[in-house]
Amino acid sequence: MLLLLTAVASAALFVSSRQVQSGAEALASREAPAVQGLAASRLAALRAHEEVDELVERKLVGVAGSGEAYRSQLSAADQGLSRIADRTDQDLGTVKGLLATYSDSLALGTSLHRDQPLMGEQKLGEAHSLLTREKVGIAPRLQDLQRAQLEHAETTTAMGRWQRAGWWVTELVLLAAASTLLSALFVLRDRCGRDWNPYLLAALLLIALLAVVPLMTAYSVQDGLDGALADLRHLTETSWQSAAGTEKAQQDVTKLSEEVRRELAGGTWTEPVYRGALVGSLLAVVLPALGLGLRLDHDYWRRR
């Protein structure tokens, strides 16, 4: 009975703990950076057009060094999409192609604006259409990608019905194993006239720890993930609300991104707990078998 219960409890604990751990790792290494990168790339593309509009309005087109601001924003948007491509399964090829065409239109619009003002205005108009056209423009496409990526992050880290059921199974089986261990201890002491078995006592203490520590860790991690997801939602909504200015939105997104990184970095202590639970689960199987095996060897097999 002890072998069966401890083996089932160890397997259930391993699976449940691993699910929480993998969700935290996925959010920190893949999902959150993708959400942050999409928001930053979209704002950078919008900011590039604002910089060009300001150049035209202030009649600085053609002045040496005047286009560095919008070019740096375009470079940031392109690099951001390239980094995101490794962290998401969404197709970014179309957006990257549109961004390249958008960059070319802005470059032509600013280079032709003085010598051929009508042609320059046409190219800038094309760039604006590529950026903002409903459903097919760069900004709407990136907004849809942001929404899909955020939903994917929520699905990845959510503790669903089966995960909760796994923890219930783990706790119930650990409780049954603890009850069986207590029964074995009292049988050996009261009916067999033996002292408290140290192996069974150690196994009982270990099972009590396994019933409490991994579960508390899992729910602590889940609370941290929920907080990070709330910040990611706020970050996404902030990147969509550019009424106060794209520059202000970029600053807010940067601050929220740093906050998310700090929250997710605080969960690195869960890895030792997970490894400890794995080792403890193995010991919970070995210790009762060892204790009872030695007792049987001393009381029965050696006396035959």
Side-chain angles (χ1 to χ4, degrees):
M1 179 68 75
L2 279 173
L3 281 173
L4 176 63
L5 288 174
T6 52
V8 172
S10 299
L13 181 62
F14 171 76
V15 172
S16 299
S17 299
R18 186 57 190 162
Q19 286 177 333
V20 175
Q21 184 70 20
S22 61
E25 291 175 354
L27 185 64
S29 63
R30 189 174 65 250
E31 303 297 338
V35 173
Q36 295 163 358
L38 286 169
S41 297
R42 181 176 178 276
L43 288 173
L46 291 170
R47 178 79 181 277
H49 203 281
E50 288 184 0
E51 294 290 345
V52 170
D53 287 341
E54 186 175 353
L55 288 178
V56 174
E57 183 179 349
R58 298 173 61 182
K59 299 181 180 180
L60 294 176
V61 176
V63 177
S66 59
E68 290 300 321
Y70 91 82
R71 280 191 286 269
S72 66
Q73 294 294 330
L74 287 174
S75 177
D78 183 64
Q79 292 175 10
L81 290 177
S82 297
R83 287 192 297 269
I84 297 164
D86 299 331
R87 291 171 169 158
T88 180
D89 55 0
Q90 300 189 70
D91 183 15
L92 300 178
T94 303
V95 177
K96 286 182 67 68
L98 286 172
L99 186 64
T101 306
Y102 171 65
S103 177
D104 293 340
S105 297
L106 286 180
L108 287 173
T110 53
S111 63
L112 297 174
H113 198 271
R114 282 198 169 191
D115 300 331
Q116 298 175 311
L118 292 180
M119 182 66 72
E121 290 177 7
Q122 181 183 357
K123 289 297 179 181
L124 293 179
E126 288 178 2
H128 186 266
S129 178
L130 285 169
L131 179 65
T132 61
R133 188 182 302 168
E134 186 177 358
K135 293 184 179 180
V136 296
I138 295 172
R141 284 178 184 272
L142 285 175
Q143 187 168 344
D144 290 339
L145 288 172
Q146 283 179 270
R147 187 180 293 108
Q149 190 65 43
L150 184 60
E151 291 175 356
H152 192 270
E154 292 173 345
T155 302
T156 301
T157 58
M159 184 178 285
R161 186 187 317 168
W162 292 108
Q163 283 181 282
R164 296 181 188 278
W167 281 109
W168 274 104
V169 169
T170 301
E171 295 299 313
L172 289 174
V173 177
L174 285 172
L175 178 61
S179 301
T180 307
L181 271 173
L182 283 172
S183 176
L185 282 166
F186 280 107
V187 164
L188 288 175
R189 180 176 175 80
D190 296 339
R191 297 187 183 182
C192 301
R194 299 299 180 184
D195 294 331
W196 296 113
N197 190 301
Y199 295 97
L200 297 188
L201 286 173
L204 183 61
L205 177 61
L206 186 59
I207 284 177
L209 291 174
L210 290 174
V212 175
V213 177
L215 181 63
M216 291 180 62
T217 302
Y219 277 92
S220 176
V221 170
Q222 196 63 42
D223 287 341
L225 296 181
D226 291 342
L229 283 173
D231 286 336
L232 287 175
R233 294 188 201 98
H234 187 198
L235 181 150
T236 302
E237 293 170 359
T238 300
S239 69
W240 294 346
Q241 299 168 357
S242 55
T246 306
E247 183 177 3
K248 178 65 166 56
Q250 283 181 314
Q251 294 172 355
D252 292 341
V253 165
T254 301
K255 291 179 181 178
L256 286 169
S257 296
E258 290 297 327
E259 187 173 345
V260 170
R261 291 189 190 99
R262 285 196 299 271
E263 289 177 346
L264 294 177
T268 54
W269 58 274
T270 59
E271 181 67 22
V273 174
Y274 167 72
R275 292 179 181 176
L278 178 59
V279 174
S281 299
L282 295 175
L283 288 176
V285 178
V286 172
L287 286 174
L290 183 61
L292 292 177
L294 291 175
R295 188 75 272 158
L296 285 170
D297 179 61
H298 185 272
D299 288 352
Y300 178 70
W301 290 316
R302 288 187 183 182
R303 295 180 180 273
R304 291 188 60 181

